[in-house]
Amino acid sequence: MFYTFYQNNSGGHIYENDSVANYLIIEASSLKQAQSLAKGFTESYSDFCPCCGTRWSLDYPDQEDEDVPRTSSGYMNSQGKWVCSSSSWRGKASVIIHYLDGTYKQINYE
């Protein structure tokens, strides 16, 4: 299963590198495993802004049983493709997918 975590534009910038992007998608066998992996990837990039709030959306209340965990802007479908679920989404976004085997894939959308 894939879990999607969103990076808030906390402090007016987005971190993008080999570990993190606008959207961090993690393949895991459970929500707890995905959250644990996400914490490892985001730990160095988890600053907090008093006006913007927390940088990462690592909590998934009541979504453990969903077939396709989602964010407000998109989700990873069962074929491994990023799907934009918001008609109001505009601009560019970066996505990094971390697979269980340790490989990753970066995707940029304009």
Side-chain angles (χ1 to χ4, degrees), residues 78-96:
S78 60
Q79 288 79 41
K81 303 231 183 224
W82 174 257
V83 177
C84 182
S85 63
S86 173
S87 60
S88 65
W89 183 83
R90 289 181 180 79
K92 70 178 210 170
S94 59
V95 177
I96 189 163

Side-chain angles (χ1 to χ4, degrees), residues 16-17 21-23 25 76 80-83 92-97 99 104-110:
E16 294 179 284
N17 55 41
N22 290 99
Y23 294 92
I25 300 173
M76 177 68 88
K81 303 231 183 224
W82 174 257
V83 177
K92 70 178 210 170
S94 59
V95 177
I96 189 163
I97 306 165
Y99 296 96
Y104 67 90
K105 179 179 181 180
Q106 294 175 314
I107 304 169
N108 292 302
Y109 290 93
E110 297 271 349

